[in-house]
Structure formats: structure tokens, C-alpha cells
Amino acid sequence: VQLQASGGGLVQAGGSLRLSCAVSGGTFSSYSMGWFRQAPGKEREFVAGISWKIGITSYADSVKGRFTISRDNAKNTVYLEMNSLKPEDTAVYYCAADGRFYTDPSSWYRNYRSINYWGKGTLVTVSS
């Protein structure tokens, strides 16, 4: 399974970006898809996730109400719409695919170290 993230860039605070993650080599509809991010000197953290089948979404508290995750099973792609961006959102954003069924943020936090499929990341920089 290969994941290719794109859409990162430089944006001013308050602006918006949409990240995409295209998946190939597997059955996309059977994967829960997650977005994580890692800022310099910090651990990778969960941002948002969407389950397979019925598309249950989960968000970190820090992005709730500003970010929206969605998936298009016909295009094998997951998206992360990011609005009202803040300088603290600056990080490399990674997408991940996992066969487990996720229903809440705590399950993503608990399991992310055992997720096997990761994209290479796309850099988001938010200037103040």
C-alpha cells in the first residue's frame, strides 16, 4: 500500500489549505484513514481520522471546528480541509491507512504507533 500526500504550502494565519492523500495498492474502502502531524522537536500527533465503511470522523481538540476530514472512495483519496489556520498548526502532515475500525480520537492515539501504512508527509507552514 502506498500513500502520497500533497497540498501543503505556506499560508498566512487565518488562511486555508486542503491536503490530499492518494492511496494505491490496496482496497482503500477497507482502510480507516488518519492525518497526523509533527512539528520540529515534537512527537507526531493525531489530527483527524475517518473510519472505513460508515465514515465516522474523529478530531483532536486543537483542530475541532477548524479542520474537516473527508474521503472519496471512488478516487481512493482522503482530504483534510484546514481553515482558520494558526502558526501552531505548522508541521509536516502525514496520512496513514489502517485496517482497524476507529470511532474516537482515543483509539487513534492508542494505536497509531502500530499503523503500518504512512505517506511521506507534506509541509504546512503558517506565518503570523
Side-chain angles (χ1 to χ4, degrees):
V1 179
Q2 294 184 327
L3 289 72
Q4 181 65 53
S6 61
L10 174 64
V11 63
Q12 287 189 332
S16 299
L17 279 175
R18 188 175 84 153
L19 305 184
S20 301
C21 176
V23 179
S24 60
T27 305
F28 177 76
S29 60
S30 66
Y31 293 117
S32 292
M33 299 299 300
W35 286 98
F36 293 76
R37 66 188 181 187
Q38 189 165 17
K42 294 189 176 181
E43 283 198 14
R44 191 169 298 190
E45 65 173 357
F46 169 73
V47 175
I50 186 166
S51 71
W52 54 268
K53 196 171 182 180
I54 57 176
I56 295 174
T57 57
S58 305
Y59 296 95
D61 287 343
S62 59
V63 307
K64 202 173 293 184
R66 300 188 298 123
F67 290 11
T68 303
I69 188 170
S70 61
R71 65 188 298 157
D72 185 336
N73 288 343
K75 295 183 178 180
N76 291 353
T77 301
V78 63
Y79 304 97
L80 184 68
E81 186 75 36
M82 305 186 295
N83 297 315
S84 301
L85 282 162
K86 305 175 181 179
E88 51 263 44
D89 294 319
T90 295
V92 177
Y93 284 70
Y94 299 90
C95 56
D98 191 59
R100 288 169 286 203
F101 187 73
Y102 290 88
T103 60
D104 56 83
S106 62
S107 58
W108 284 100
Y109 283 116
R110 188 166 56 247
N111 293 320
Y112 90 91
R113 294 181 189 276
S114 61
I115 292 176
N116 290 325
Y117 304 120
W118 292 88
K120 289 191 176 180
T122 185
L123 176 62
V124 173
T125 303
V126 184
S127 62
S128 57

